[in-house]
Amino acid sequence: MTNEDPITEARARLQAERAEVLQDLEQLTSRLETKGDYELGEGDPMIYQWEFNLALRERAQQKLAEIDEALAQLNMGIYGLCERCGKPIEPERLAVLSHTTVCSQCAQRRR
Ligand SMILES: [Zn+2]
């Protein structure tokens, strides 16, 4: 563990995650350019793979939006605060779920 302040660490982690997602997106987009041969019909595994990649890309785009939101919160100085109770979110929780917006207590209460 480093002694860096949590905000600097969170920003570095989010930016690393963001770079990863962008790389995934790029890869998926280039894979989506090669479409399966629809003349072979629905059973073509290429088509199945293509649709799977499309779903993956949608998920990656959503994750990117969440990361951007977390980064915006960081810049506004409200990152890591629970949106329910306003208390700081546990660092251990943020380490696993870097773009969560509620503390573990409020997350439990929500269920
Ligand atoms: Zn809370």
Side-chain angles (χ1 to χ4, degrees), residues 82 84-87 102-103 105-106:
C82 174
R84 294 254 166 146
C85 66
K87 286 183 197 150
V102 288
C103 72
Q105 278 191 345
C106 292

